[in-house]
Amino acid sequence: MNHPVRRRPALVTALALACSVALTSCTAGPATGPGRAAASPASADPASRPDLKAFYGQRLRWTDCDTEGYVCARLTVPRDYDDPGNGKTFVLPVARAEAGKPDRRIGSLVYNPGGPGAAGVQSLEEGMDEAFGRAARDRFDIVAFDPRGVGASVPALTCTASEDEAEEEASEPPVSEGVAPLHPRTEEERTAAAEGARAATEDCERHSGGLLRHVGTQDAARDLDVLRAALGERELTYLGWSYGTSLGTAYAELFPRRVRAMVLDGAIDPSLDWSQRVLSQSAGFRRSVDDYADHCAEVAGDSCPADSPDAVRALIEGLYTRAEREPLPVSEDSSYAEYGGMDATAVLDAVSMAMYTPEDQWEPLSRALAAADAGDATELGALGEEEPAPADEDPAPEETDEVTEEDSGDEGSGAAEDLTPDDNEGAALTAVNCLDVPHPRDLDAYWDALPRAEKAAGVYGTAGVTAELTCRGWPSGGRTPHRVDADGVVPVLVVGTTGDPSTPYEEAVSLADQFPGGMLLTYEGMGHTAYGRGGACVTGKVDAYLVGLKPVRPGATC
């Protein structure tokens, strides 16, 4: 993997914002007033708190990972930072690719690949370190971790039934979910959408209820500081892609004087509320699909599914319309076969996800669209599908002298070792997004947002708003949109891609402006994020900053 993790949520358009509507924009702490984050706790260093001393005193015990060339460890963090001594913890997997030139090693470079919900350890073992420039790989140990509740974290989030529960549910009469249009207009359509969202929320509460209030970005940022200490680093060097920019922003606000260097690529603007985020991201996807139509012939050649940009757009819109009437046919071995084919949301997801890396995905998308238009959507359904992460065979934390193996269970989650899912990215995406960004409880707020969303981004906007309904009944994280509050932080480097579908360039401009001394590097290109896929210019400037703390000049463009 040489690019930020790409998710397949129920609706990427709404939840991808780098976390999508939340790719977490909530990088702030509890609000102390309208639009403000809590003040940075510089005067109360968490590392000096007696009740956190054991966690901060950990030292990682490295052993060989399952994948050759990497070493792995485990980090124990408190479930609840307000009550760290209650015996409940998360145990987080950590992995490291060691510096290529150990005699010139600067320290550890911690990264987050995106999501929320992306398993950092899996991404590293799949080769994510190759996304970093040679200068960075030579001088830093590249370190990744699974955030709390994610991947092989113990416990891990899940919103799906166990095998026994699934068999029991399968024996019950099926419940009709009603229609699922991209723009619910009638009372029947809106009722079906609201009921489907309510059921999804209840599934997560049933299977992970004890964890849902403890997986937000604010707590993950505190975990990141515990990891910094466990790595033996006085200051943090960090790179976050997509959702990872929200995690980095949260860390900078909590621990501004602990940052050595920070790169935020594919930025999320924490000052936007839920509906503004949906509109921003949805408009980004719509623009990217227009870019695809305009450049299809030069990128895909003979594979382009139509002979003009307008014809490409018409073909895509036609597939959405057909799939709203009846699912598009797929082969029996397709993952969509059990659903009777690809409905309109699935088609929209497939098209949207193909916008992340045009250099890899636009040609196969073109072939898949042509096949779907001819009556077979199997290729379209297969776009972006990845093998699920292998289950961890030994999820038990290693003992340390400082922190014991405390009970990781909780009501609603069961034994973590037995229930850790093979792939919980979707559950974590929903859980973090909903907790981080306040959502209205009143259904009318969502229906009132639909006309604005349609005007701004067509069906990408209306589908995005509808996808946010799941957050309506979610536990509240107590956050509010705000401008960055990180006085004392070093100059942070924000990287923005002009044609980014998921984290629009305008948000990178805004985030860089909000950081004191913030720097903006513009990559003129298409696709999601730039470092690792934007060429030597981006790599050189980012690495020069990470390694030598060289500033990027105002107006810098690649």
Side-chain angles (χ1 to χ4, degrees):
M1 177 178 300
N2 60 1
H3 51 263
V5 168
R6 300 188 301 275
R7 346 176 236 60
R8 287 186 80 239
L11 181 33
V12 60
T13 331
L15 295 179
L17 218 200
C19 154
S20 167
V21 31
L23 231 201
T24 271
S25 72
C26 304
T27 78
T32 57
R36 295 289 294 173
S40 301
S43 61
D45 187 343
S48 66
R49 280 174 48 183
D51 55 357
L52 291 177
K53 186 175 181 180
F55 297 101
Y56 271 93
Q58 294 175 85
R59 286 296 178 266
L60 298 173
R61 298 181 178 180
W62 299 101
T63 59
D64 289 340
C65 297
D66 291 339
T67 302
E68 186 178 356
Y70 303 95
V71 291
C72 287
R74 291 185 176 275
L75 179 78
T76 302
V77 296
R79 183 85 57 88
D80 184 351
Y81 277 93
D82 289 333
D83 187 13
N86 67 6
K88 296 178 180 178
T89 64
F90 284 100
V91 180
L92 311 180
V94 183
R96 181 180 73 191
E98 297 180 349
K101 294 183 177 179
D103 57 326
R104 301 187 63 203
R105 176 183 176 276
I106 294 172
S108 298
L109 197 173
V110 181
Y111 77 88
N112 179 279
V121 169
Q122 181 188 355
S123 77
L124 185 60
E125 290 194 70
E126 289 177 348
M128 190 74 170
D129 51 313
E130 295 298 319
F132 292 82
R134 170 54 61 188
R137 297 201 309 273
D138 281 347
R139 304 296 300 278
F140 292 99
D141 294 336
I142 307 299
V143 177
F145 71 106
D146 289 1
R148 51 176 52 215
V150 171
S153 159
V154 178
L157 287 161
T158 181
C159 294
T160 58
S162 65
E163 290 185 8
D164 291 342
E165 290 172 322
E167 291 178 3
E168 181 179 340
E169 292 173 2
S171 66
E172 299 174 355
V175 178
S176 174
E177 296 183 356
V179 294
L182 298 176
H183 186 171
R185 300 176 186 272
T186 68
E187 188 65 29
E188 177 188 9
E189 291 170 347
R190 292 182 176 185
T191 298
E195 285 301 304
R198 181 187 58 79
T201 301
E202 290 179 350
D203 284 344
C204 290
E205 184 71 39
R206 182 180 307 115
H207 299 293
S208 295
L211 304 180
L212 298 185
R213 291 168 176 80
H214 300 292
V215 295
T217 300
Q218 185 82 351
D219 283 332
R222 293 182 181 277
D223 296 343
L224 185 55
D225 197 54
V226 176
L227 175 59
R228 173 201 57 76
L231 290 167
E233 302 292 350
R234 185 175 65 86
E235 296 176 314
L236 177 71
T237 302
Y238 175 84
L239 189 147
W241 283 282
S242 200
Y243 163 76
T245 68
S246 287
L247 180 59
T249 302
Y251 184 90
E253 292 188 310
L254 284 168
F255 310 103
R257 291 176 173 79
R258 294 251 180 89
V259 178
R260 174 191 169 273
M262 180 173 287
V263 178
L264 305 178
D265 183 3
I268 299 163
D269 182 352
S271 71
L272 303 182
D273 67 20
W274 76 274
S275 62
Q276 292 169 325
R277 290 177 180 285
V278 170
L279 296 185
S280 174
Q281 187 185 47
S282 300
F285 277 108
R286 184 181 193 177
R287 287 194 299 267
S288 291
V289 174
D290 281 341
D291 286 340
Y292 162 70
D294 289 338
H295 298 281
C296 180
E298 63 188 79
V299 173
D302 292 340
S303 297
C304 192
D307 58 7
S308 72
D310 285 344
V312 172
R313 294 184 186 93
L315 184 151
I316 294 172
E317 293 295 330
L319 289 176
Y320 294 157
T321 301
R322 286 162 53 185
E324 284 190 308
R325 292 195 300 264
E326 182 179 2
L328 302 183
V330 296
S331 65
E332 292 183 358
D333 59 353
S334 168
S335 59
Y336 289 97
E338 62 179 301
Y339 306 110
M342 293 186 74
D343 66 10
T345 297
V347 176
L348 185 72
D349 283 354
V351 172
S352 299
M353 291 306 298
M355 299 301 109
Y356 277 67
T357 52
E359 64 274 20
D360 297 330
Q361 296 176 287
W362 279 9
E363 187 170 352
L365 171 67
S366 298
R367 293 192 298 268
L369 288 173
D373 188 50
D376 183 0
T378 303
E379 284 187 64
L380 190 61
L383 288 179
E385 287 187 350
E386 299 175 343
E387 291 296 319
D392 195 324
E393 296 180 0
D394 182 18
E398 294 188 19
E399 294 186 20
T400 72
D401 295 334
E402 297 85 2
V403 180
T404 60
E405 293 184 30
E406 296 157 314
D407 175 29
S408 292
D410 202 353
E411 291 114 3
S413 63
E417 289 83 353
D418 297 329
L419 297 184
T420 299
D422 285 349
D423 182 359
N424 72 344
E425 188 173 355
L429 175 78
T430 302
V432 177
N433 283 347
C434 293
L435 187 65
D436 273 1
V437 180
H439 282 70
R441 303 292 184 183
D442 184 2
L443 273 172
D444 287 341
Y446 299 88
W447 310 144
D448 290 346
L450 286 172
R452 299 194 305 275
E454 182 178 40
K455 182 178 180 180
V459 293
Y460 301 93
T462 57
V465 169
T466 304
E468 296 304 306
L469 284 167
T470 302
C471 295
R472 174 173 165 255
W474 209 265
S476 174
R479 302 172 186 273
T480 59
H482 66 282
R483 290 182 62 82
V484 172
D485 183 7
D487 290 344
V489 74
V490 300
V492 169
L493 175 57
V494 179
V495 185
T497 299
T498 55
D500 195 315
S502 183
T503 53
Y505 175 71
E506 294 80 5
E507 296 196 37
V509 174
S510 177
L511 185 64
D513 180 65
Q514 292 175 45
F515 272 105
M519 301 176 293
L520 176 66
L521 172 61
T522 298
Y523 170 54
E524 294 182 338
M526 295 177 288
H528 185 40
T529 72
Y531 186 66
R533 55 174 298 271
C537 175
V538 173
T539 298
K541 292 184 184 301
V542 171
D543 282 6
Y545 167 73
L546 289 170
V547 173
L549 303 180
K550 182 179 179 180
V552 171
R553 295 178 179 178
T557 301
C558 289

